[in-house]
Amino acid sequence: MIPEDLRYTAEHEWVAGDGSGPVRVGITHFAQDALGDIVFVQLPDEGTVVQAGDSLGEIESTKSVSEIYAPIAGTVVARNATLADEPEIINGEPYAAGWLVEIAPDDPDALDSLLDAAAYRALTES
């Protein structure tokens, strides 16, 4: 369950898009599986400026609370409002309806520094 067309971080976030416009960010199947049943998501407001590695919010599950990190620097231009009432969508559809935020990147080339599917797969299998 590691889509080939996405980029990834070592902190188990995924990024969809080529950087020419806003990119969509979420957590991976691996991350949601480790968290267990997700019961609450805290996301940044639209217009929030983030640096790569900054906290984007938190995901609370029946097991723990985990930070979400910005994979790239930019401005949050959208957040998935559905997650306020239905955070469990992340468990069922982490790469689709369970997306978290969209970020307009400061530097589109920053996506090149993220892991490709093969590198992320190697990380999760080690």
Side-chain angles (χ1 to χ4, degrees):
M1 272 215 141
I2 300 175
E4 294 292 327
D5 60 333
L6 303 178
R7 293 296 207 152
Y8 300 89
T9 70
E11 291 77 30
H12 308 290
E13 286 90 21
W14 57 261
V15 178
D18 63 7
S20 62
V23 296
R24 189 165 273 189
V25 177
I27 65 167
T28 65
H29 172 74
F30 182 91
Q32 70 79 25
D33 190 52
L35 284 168
D37 295 334
I38 295 171
V39 296
F40 178 75
V41 180
Q42 177 189 7
L43 298 172
D45 292 328
E46 291 178 19
T48 300
V49 176
V50 295
Q51 297 301 314
D54 281 0
S55 176
L56 273 180
E58 295 179 338
I59 294 182
E60 183 177 334
S61 72
T62 55
K63 293 181 183 178
S64 67
V65 175
S66 294
E67 292 280 331
I68 310 160
Y69 298 100
I72 58 169
T75 303
V76 176
V77 295
R79 53 189 249 158
N80 189 345
T82 304
L83 299 179
D85 295 323
E86 300 176 64
E88 67 277 4
I89 289 174
I90 296 170
N91 291 116
E93 298 184 57
Y95 299 112
W99 65 277
L100 303 174
V101 296
E102 290 183 350
I103 297 174
D106 287 347
D107 176 9
D109 293 334
L111 296 176
D112 295 338
S113 67
L114 300 176
L115 303 172
D116 63 14
Y120 183 70
R121 188 173 296 107
L123 175 79
T124 61
E125 291 173 353
S126 61

